[in-house]
Amino acid sequence: MQEAGVNLVSVGIFSWSRLEPSEGNFEFGWLDRVLDLLHDGGVQANLATATASPPPWLAHRHPEMLPVLADGVKLWHGARQHYCPSSPVYRDAAKRLVTAMAERYGKHPALAMWHVGNEYGCHVPACWCDVSAAAFRAWLRERYGSLDELNAGWGTDFWSQRYSSWEEIIPPRRTPTWPNPSQQLDFMRFSSDALLECYEIEHEVLKRATPEVPVTTNFMSFFKPLDYWKWAEREDVVSNDSYPDPSDARSGMRAAMAGDLMRSLGRGRPWILMEQTTNRVNWREINVAKAPGQMRLWSFQAVARGADGVMFFQWRQSRAGAEKHHSAMVPHGPVESSTTWRDVVRLGSELGRLDAVRGAQSRAMVAMLFDWESWWALELPSKPSTRLRQLDQVEAYYQPLFEANQLIDFARPGDDLSSYRLVLAPNLYLVSDEAAASLEAYVEGGGTAVMSFFSGIVDPAEHIRLGGYPQPFRKMLGLDVIDFLPLPADHEVALRFGDGALGRGTIWSEDIVLAGAESLATFSDLPLGGRPAITSHRFGEGTAFYLGTQPDPKTMARLLELACSSAGVEPTAEAPAGVEAVRRWARGKSFLFLLNHRDLWVDVPIARAGTNLVDGSEVHAGLVRLGPRDVAVIGEGW
Ligand code: GLA
């Protein structure tokens, strides 16, 4: 570990059955030894609470703690994460273990951070068992207060679903056709909250025992089942696990996007890349290895996007068990001949030179609204088009801005947006009155917004907002949408811009009537030929752009460039294609990260001289050369 520059290790994540081999009998000797060894070697511990995989004895004695799927199938022990999030048996046992851990290790000098559970919801994000049903009812009573309110909120007169007692209510189990959408949406909220309660139980024990020790749990990038806005509020440090597919050309962009999300979830605080693989994973159909330099590049990318730590799953590649073919820092074979080990050692020493970057902040001028509830609601079945997927839409915005080196923060609808010059709202299908009013006020006060079709359609109950689509944004956008005309799967519509430029739209079209907005582009094909497709509207002091279709990538890039220039948003740097440029600031200093995603040499123009912290070399104003997948972190003006 010392050779690799390791200074923080996650310990004990899946060791409950070792720590408590039978009910109430704890065996800590082996962990004492590990923590002492780490401490003696100058390595700190991110100590896990070990509750992500209950021991077989717990499931054997209390099978009612096992999770059940929507169609009644029970998930048994023998893998991991086999617990019903609402199970009092699981929760009590977890609390007992964490209490014992906190007592034993709260004062251990190696303890730097607590790692609660692991990847909550990764395999079992929800449970439909009877215990969960009772917990769901309790959650609903809290939310609605009365059955009348619940019946109204769920629109239960439709299809004769009116409830006459709380006991009749169940989670949305397998039904003949779509279960009630408002019920499904509430079940998603409940399921995220149920797991958050598990985290909270442990968090409370740890905070009482060791108030000064930071607590985290590892996120999984854009993980649909958990509302990470709510979760991140309960963490001292946001941490993330990132496993981009090396065989997918969009992976670099996606990893950047996940990094931006983590920074935003922590409200700008530095985060930790908790897990990545050194090389291959074991869980795709084909586990393509990272290309030479890719692990280093993606590690630096995380730091560029706000991480102050880079870690791996896993230290030593195991000999047995389900993950023995997953790469590790220490491979099965001899380290001397391992390129992975060589890369790990190099990364460790290079990261060791970035101390000055710690705590540095980013300054994004662009925010993208992102909301888990809207994502859940948008992708519930029975919509105009199932081809409308939240993350595709987010990426359609993110990709061209990533390529143009525009830094993006993610924002929760309803957040104060006043520090941003440009706000993007890809398909904000569900929106609360407050969030809609906050976006409207932002534009009215001088902000620029870009919004896509099928936004502002429902309220938080998933009920249509009546009064014309998109009801809460009609004034801001200066238009009315008369109806939606989703496009068949392989269909495109032609777009014509005022300046004669042409483009194409996919997924969606709609019948727009202007009410103050101007048309930037029209549909050129029937049935909407000549009608507005893309519009802009001066509203108060600001401008709102609207997209009534999904423009092709080039057109999207052009539109976002227009929005950026009209909002006065500048890119971080002008860099050649494939070079990512991101800046962080700390204590009056700035750090320019240059990341070459291509496997070619590139010359990047540099405005300010400085020092490349990665190798200590001096960088002169002019051009800096980067090799294939090479990186530079330039302390500007040093
Ligand atoms: C997740 C888990 C790890 C391991 C890796 C494999 O991130 O947290 O325990 O299973 O996936 O990629």
Side-chain angles (χ1 to χ4, degrees), residues 13-14 80 115 118-119 122-123 218 220 241-243 275 277 281-283 313 323 326:
I13 295 180
F14 297 105
R80 63 177 177 182
H115 180 104
N118 191 65
E119 292 195 340
C122 169
H123 309 301
N218 43 348
M220 291 164 283
D241 297 352
S242 177
Y243 292 97
E275 287 186 22
T277 183
V281 296
N282 63 313
W283 40 261
F313 171 82
E323 294 188 314
H326 191 295

Side-chain angles (χ1 to χ4, degrees), residues 4-64:
V6 170
N7 57 8
L8 184 66
V9 182
S10 301
V11 188
I13 295 180
F14 297 105
S15 50
W16 191 343
S17 65
R18 274 277 185 172
L19 291 167
E20 192 182 2
S22 59
E23 191 159 3
N25 298 314
F26 294 101
E27 283 185 10
F28 286 122
W30 66 272
L31 187 54
D32 294 350
R33 192 176 146 259
V34 170
L35 291 180
D36 293 349
L37 265 172
L38 287 173
H39 178 63
D40 291 346
V43 179
Q44 292 194 295
N46 168 41
L47 185 55
T49 59
T51 51
S53 189
W57 57 256
L58 190 68
H60 180 68
R61 275 204 184 171
H62 302 281
E64 73 277 17

Side-chain angles (χ1 to χ4, degrees), residues 367 420-424 439 442-443 446-450 538 541-545 562-564 566-568:
Y420 299 106
R421 296 204 177 162
L422 176 63
V423 171
L424 312 170
L439 182 59
Y442 164 77
V443 175
T448 302
V450 184
R538 278 297 292 174
E541 301 295 306
T543 305
F545 293 88
L562 171 72
C564 284
S566 100

